[in-house]
């Protein structure tokens, strides 16, 4: 009966890293890094809880309005996080699949 209460699919909007950084007197880069680290922890917990699907909304068109240096920081953190997660997925030979959605040709 409890298993039926666990959703198969959850979604998250990755938001608030800059606000967290400001509140904690840190750089926005540190805020984005902290958010990414929490995301990795979250993904591990979802896996343990048997969640089958997770969608992450990680970068919106509104983010393009940020200073170019911060946009670069965000993409750098996203890349570093992917480089941390993907080898684990491959090592475990899990059924996890990563898909990138959105306009990948947007070269702003």
């Amino acid at each position: 009966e409890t298993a039926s209460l666990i959703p198969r699919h959850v979604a998250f909007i990755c938001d608030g890293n800059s606000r967290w950084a400001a509140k904690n007197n840190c750089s926005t880069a540190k805020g984005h890094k902290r958010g990414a680290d929490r995301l990795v922890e979250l993904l591990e917990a979802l896996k343990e809880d048997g969640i089958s699907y997770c969608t992450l909304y990680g970068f919106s068109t509104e983010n393009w309005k940020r200073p170019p240096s911060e946009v670069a920081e965000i993409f750098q953190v996203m890349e570093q996080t992917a480089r941390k997660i993907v080898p684990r997925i491959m090592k475990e030979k899990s059924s996890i699949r990563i898909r990138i959605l959105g306009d990948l040709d947007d070269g702003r």
Side-chain angles (χ1 to χ4, degrees):
E1 187 175 317
T2 306
S4 64
L5 299 177
I6 298 173
R8 291 185 61 217
H9 188 174
V10 295
F12 298 94
I13 298 172
C14 302
D15 188 35
N17 297 324
S18 296
R19 287 187 298 279
W20 181 91
K23 182 178 177 183
N24 289 279
N25 200 27
C26 301
S27 68
T28 56
K30 186 169 182 176
H32 294 301
K33 173 76 171 92
R34 177 69 176 138
D37 290 343
R38 293 290 292 149
L39 174 65
V40 171
E41 293 170 15
L42 173 70
L43 293 174
E44 291 293 329
L46 293 176
K47 180 180 162 190
E48 290 172 16
D49 288 342
I51 305 295
S52 300
Y53 302 96
C54 177
T55 299
L56 304 169
Y57 190 79
F59 192 88
S60 72
T61 55
E62 293 295 310
N63 288 127
W64 287 116
K65 296 176 183 174
R66 295 172 183 264
S69 61
E70 187 175 356
V71 170
E73 289 170 356
I74 293 169
F75 281 117
Q76 183 179 21
V77 168
M78 291 171 90
E79 180 180 354
Q80 289 170 346
T81 303
R83 289 182 186 275
K84 184 188 317 181
I85 293 172
V86 170
R88 274 196 240 168
I89 293 169
M90 300 302 286
K91 183 179 174 184
E92 295 172 5
K93 297 182 178 152
S94 69
S95 60
I96 295 173
R97 181 172 45 191
I98 297 174
R99 290 189 207 168
I100 309 297
L101 308 173
D103 186 353
L104 301 179
D105 295 324
D106 189 337
R108 281 185 247 191

